[in-house]
């Protein structure tokens, strides 16, 4: 975010509120449909400098993956996919924000399964609200499409008819509410 974006975000730390935030994903399954899931355990903060320049840092407990199917979730936690015993945490650290029409692009470094790559999230700033007696609240929506193989999630499960059981492209969608810290 540029200073123009951060005008509503006063300087200080804005903590991600996991109760009112979601980190979700979708990925193709059997070429014709999508599997949806979410990570239930995550944390992070937006720190806004006095000049209005924000920085973002977030962590996801990858073992908190939830697709609504215990067997699939157990497989996602295994070495074939996330290998949560060796790599329990995914992280995002911003490197900058730039305008994109009425919205923004949040650039950063994403680390998953021990692999760090630059990513660019499409970002919509929802504004700031005075909150409900617990301080100011800011809202954001962001999304990015990643290739799972770029991050070492490279299991191949080809279908006899062509394609694969699990697609390569994964769409990650974030709905974030952040609370201004005193």
């Amino acid at each position: 975010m540029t200073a123009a974006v951060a005008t509503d975000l006063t300087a200080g730390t804005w903590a991600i509120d996991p109760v009112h935030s979601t980190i979700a994903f979708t990925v193709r399954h059997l070429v014709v449909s999508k599997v949806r899931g979410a990570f239930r355990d995550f944390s992070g903060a937006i720190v806004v400098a006095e000049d209005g320049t924000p920085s973002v840092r977030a962590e996801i407990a990858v073992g908190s993956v939830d697709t609504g199917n215990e067997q699939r979730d157990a497989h996602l936690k295994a070495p074939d996919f996330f290998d949560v015993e060796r790599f329990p945490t995914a992280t995002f650290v911003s490197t900058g924000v730039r305008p994109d029409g009425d919205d923004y692009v949040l650039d950063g470094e994403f680390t998953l399964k021990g692999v760090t790559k630059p990513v660019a999230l499409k970002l919509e700033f929802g504004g700031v609200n005075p909150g409900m007696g617990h301080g100011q609240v800011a809202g954001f929506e962001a999304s990015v499409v990643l290739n799972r193989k770029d991050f070492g999630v490279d299991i191949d499960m080809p279908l006899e008819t062509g394609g694969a059981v699990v697609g390569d492209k994964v769409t990650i969608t974030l709905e974030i509410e952040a609370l201004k810290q005193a």
Side-chain angles (χ1 to χ4, degrees):
M1 277 176 259
T2 64
V5 172
T7 54
D8 289 344
L9 287 176
T10 55
T13 300
W14 297 75
I16 293 174
D17 177 1
V19 174
H20 296 103
S21 300
T22 304
I23 299 176
F25 65 88
T26 58
V27 64
R28 285 272 174 210
H29 182 251
L30 299 174
V31 183
V32 298
S33 65
K34 291 182 181 178
V35 168
R36 299 177 189 286
F39 295 96
R40 303 295 180 202
D41 185 5
F42 54 88
S43 62
I46 302 155
V47 177
V48 180
E50 289 297 328
D51 69 358
T53 304
S55 64
V56 178
R57 178 165 178 82
E59 293 187 352
I60 302 168
V62 182
S64 70
V65 65
D66 180 1
T67 65
N69 180 289
E70 289 182 26
Q71 183 179 359
R72 179 173 45 226
D73 294 348
H75 193 198
L76 288 173
K77 294 173 189 178
D80 283 348
F81 287 93
F82 295 135
D83 196 0
V84 298
E85 286 200 27
R86 289 183 52 211
F87 306 102
T89 306
T91 60
F92 175 82
V93 177
S94 67
T95 57
V97 179
R98 52 193 159 94
D100 184 28
D102 291 338
D103 295 320
Y104 304 89
V105 174
L106 177 62
D107 294 309
E109 299 283 326
F110 181 63
T111 302
L112 175 67
K113 204 172 177 182
V115 178
T116 301
K117 298 275 185 183
V119 298
L121 287 83
K122 293 183 178 194
L123 176 69
E124 180 182 329
F125 176 52
V128 175
N129 184 284
M132 298 178 65
H134 301 287
Q136 293 180 312
V137 177
F140 307 87
E141 293 181 30
S143 65
V144 65
V145 177
L146 303 175
N147 185 322
R148 65 181 175 83
K149 291 182 177 184
D150 289 346
F151 293 91
V153 183
D154 54 7
I155 183 173
D156 280 321
M157 297 168 42
L159 296 168
E160 289 179 18
T161 56
V165 173
V166 178
D168 293 344
K169 293 181 180 178
V170 180
T171 300
I172 300 174
T173 306
L174 302 97
E175 301 279 343
I176 302 297
E177 201 170 281
L179 304 170
K180 178 72 185 283
Q181 303 299 288

